[in-house]
């Protein structure tokens, strides 16, 4: 989608530490701001390759951690200069990735908790969760963990009071207003409502992640038998 | 050529300067907890600063060498010996084939570094040999060294070791300097003053992801949560309970807690030396001052 020049938002640019800079576009979460983050993140990484050690794009911000020796203030001046130039945001729309999820009790460790909180039956939860069209806003927390927006707010359920030490790889979960998938086994505090048999993170395919920032996704329900057939398949 | 673990230490990890360039995929930068000491151990051997080392935390174990080489220790002092003879820190030490190196508990800070001529040689993951424990990746099988592990090291050649290097590093852990964090203004003045005035004590629930510190309870001036965003190394996050956590080397790449302050880069090596029970205060530093301290700190390694 293209935006007129006058509609492009410039971020606030502030030091986050003596080795990092925060760019913040706006105060909310929206696909419009996401497109800014997506576009400018790619641009910054390309333009300042040698000055940037790494970056963390998020909902409405980009954190830049500087390469050794690069000055925060000098980099901020360069960034401000960049945003004075004209920009046209263009984003290639990605294909929707369809993700099979088995919502069986064996995997859905917290579906009763979600049911109790939302006052929805298991079937209604599955229906609402598979009906949604989702966007991967960014990857963060742990390797390949997608922050996914677009969940029906009727499914909102607070996080667990104390996080689990180990959430199994492939677990699909609800944390507050968000839904997510644990690509690797890791600690986690979200309500688990199912599991996908697919491997969604592969250290050997880093440059081409299965669920990259900006991906559109949709979930579909599968049976326990189908889960077993697909288990461990690389997406 | 291998180092064999005869008795593992509390947490022996293969580390280098870290895995930069992948935080946008959720992959932690990781790397040595006290990079200053790690660099010193390498430089004293004439190695590259980034050559993989073994990071030893709180207490070490016993290790044998199947080939003659040279090693060097730096960081907090851990009594270490070969055949009952204590070996010095900050000096190249020759080890012979069959020698057994025994390292006991630290007498000062949390960590020391064992560097070896030309570095340990484990398969690199995304250009780095660092271990990241949470994702069980990198380093030696993505975990702490265990009994009978054999860690390959590179072939040593005849070499003149640099003898005139001196490193003026401040290891005083009683004061840690910090700049205001990204959400400093979400804390009212009394809380800001408590933060930069009162003493904090390092909790036992600390690890390479975060150093939990017990001190004054801090409360932000809004009930609204902040939107999840990137986490800088050294950010002091304040949890919903009012507890503080220093974001450390194995940190998750993004987080949703407000950040009241950020430890300056020139003091991060001190954080790597904090032990459970250590007490310290934060000193408020401006961004300008922090940047010049960073430049001075980096210059120490460029001799």
């Amino acid at each position: 989608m293209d935006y007129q020049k006058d509609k492009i938002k410039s971020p606030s640019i502030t030091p986050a530490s003596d080795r990092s800079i925060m760019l913040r576009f706006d105060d909310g979460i929206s696909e419009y701001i996401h497109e800014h983050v997506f576009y400018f993140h790619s641009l910054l990484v390309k333009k300042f390759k040698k000055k940037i050690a790494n970056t963390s794009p998020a909902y409405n911000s980009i954190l830049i951690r500087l390469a050794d020796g690069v000055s925060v203030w000098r980099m901020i001046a360069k960034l401000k200069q960049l945003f004075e130039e004209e920009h046209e945001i263009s984003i290639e729309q990605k294909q929707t990735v369809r993700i099979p999820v088995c919502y069986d009790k064996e995997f859905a460790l917290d579906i009763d908790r979600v049911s109790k909180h939302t006052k929805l039956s298991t079937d209604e939860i599955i229906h609402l969760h598979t009906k949604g069209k989702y966007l991967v806003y960014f990857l963060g927390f742990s390797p390949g963990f997608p922050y996914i927006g677009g969940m029906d707010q009727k499914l909102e359920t607070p996080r667990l009071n104390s996080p689990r030490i180990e959430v199994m790889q492939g677990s699909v979960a609800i944390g507050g207003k968000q839904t997510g998938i644990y690509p690797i086994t890791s600690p986690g505090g979200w309500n688990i409502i199912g599991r996908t048999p697919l491997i969604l993170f592969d250290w050997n395919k880093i440059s081409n992640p299965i669920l990259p920032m900006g991906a559109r996704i949709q979930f579909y329900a599968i049976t326990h038998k189908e889960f077993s057939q697909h288990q461990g398949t690389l997406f | 050529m291998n180092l064999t673990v005869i008795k593992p230490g509390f947490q022996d990890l293969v580390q280098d300067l870290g895995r930069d360039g992948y935080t946008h995929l959720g992959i932690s930068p990781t790397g040595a907890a006290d990079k200053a000491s790690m660099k010193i151990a390498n430089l004293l051997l004439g190695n590259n600063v980034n050559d993989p080392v073994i990071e030893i935390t709180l207490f070490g174990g016993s290790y044998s060498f199947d080939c003659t080489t040279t090693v060097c220790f730096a960081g907090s002092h851990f009594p270490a010996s070969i055949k009952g003879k204590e070996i010095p820190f900050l000096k190249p030490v020759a080890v012979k084939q069959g020698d057994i190196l025994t390292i006991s508990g630290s007498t000062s800070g949390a960590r020391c570094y064992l560097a070896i001529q030309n570095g340990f040689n484990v398969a690199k993951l995304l250009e780095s040999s660092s271990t990241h424990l949470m994702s069980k990746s990198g380093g030696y099988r993505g975990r702490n060294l265990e009994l009978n592990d054999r860690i390959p090291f590179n072939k040593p050649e005849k070499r003149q070791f640099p003898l005139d290097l001196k490193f003026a590093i401040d290891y005083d852990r009683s004061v840690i300097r910090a700049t205001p964090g990204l959400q400093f203004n979400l804390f009212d003045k009394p809380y800001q003053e408590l933060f930069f005035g009162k003493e904090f004590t390092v909790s036992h629930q600390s690890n390479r992801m975060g150093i939990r510190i017990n001190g004054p309870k801090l409360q932000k001036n809004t009930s609204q949560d902040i939107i999840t965003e990137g986490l800088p190394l050294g950010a002091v996050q304040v949890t919903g309970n009012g507890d503080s956590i220093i974001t450390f080397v194995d940190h998750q790449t993004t987080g949703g807690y407000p950040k009241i302050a950020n430890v300056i880069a020139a003091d991060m090596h001190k954080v790597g030396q904090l032990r459970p029970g250590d007490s310290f205060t934060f000193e408020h530093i401006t961004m300008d001052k922090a940047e010049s301290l960073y430049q001075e700190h980096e210059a120490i390694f460029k001799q």
Side-chain angles (χ1 to χ4, degrees), chain B residues 7 18 62 98 135 141 196 202 230 237 253 279:
Chain B
K7 192 179 133 209
S62 295
S135 61
R141 301 185 181 179
F196 281 113
V202 177
Q237 306 178 71
T253 59
S279 292

Side-chain angles (χ1 to χ4, degrees), chain A residues 86-119:
Chain A
E86 275 187 37
H87 295 282
E88 212 172 275
I89 293 179
S90 58
I91 295 205
E92 214 184 300
Q93 290 297 332
K94 293 198 169 64
Q95 262 199 331
T96 301
V97 184
R98 294 184 76 240
I99 297 171
V101 179
C102 179
Y103 294 91
D104 260 28
K105 277 273 155 60
E106 183 188 339
F107 305 126
L109 304 178
D110 305 309
I111 207 158
D112 289 340
R113 192 173 180 273
V114 175
S115 184
K116 207 172 149 194
H117 183 84
T118 59
K119 302 192 171 62

Side-chain angles (χ1 to χ4, degrees), chain A residues 142-153:
Chain A
S142 66
F145 187 95
Y147 279 78
I148 300 169
M151 189 178 75
D152 192 313
Q153 296 304 285

Side-chain angles (χ1 to χ4, degrees), chain A residues 24 54-55 65 69 72-73 144, chain B residues 20 23 25 229 231 288 291:
Chain A
R24 204 175 276 121
N54 56 57
T55 51
R65 303 182 189 84
V72 172
W73 296 116
Chain B
D20 269 329
T23 51
L25 302 173
E229 61 183 23
L231 268 179
D288 285 342
E291 184 154 62

Side-chain angles (χ1 to χ4, degrees), chain A residues 115-145:
Chain A
S115 184
K116 207 172 149 194
H117 183 84
T118 59
K119 302 192 171 62
L120 296 166
S121 69
T122 302
D123 284 348
E124 286 168 324
I125 293 169
I126 297 168
H127 175 71
L128 287 175
H129 197 253
T130 51
K131 210 180 72 179
K133 288 203 164 55
Y134 302 93
L135 170 66
V136 176
Y137 276 88
F138 64 98
L139 306 180
F141 173 62
S142 66
F145 187 95

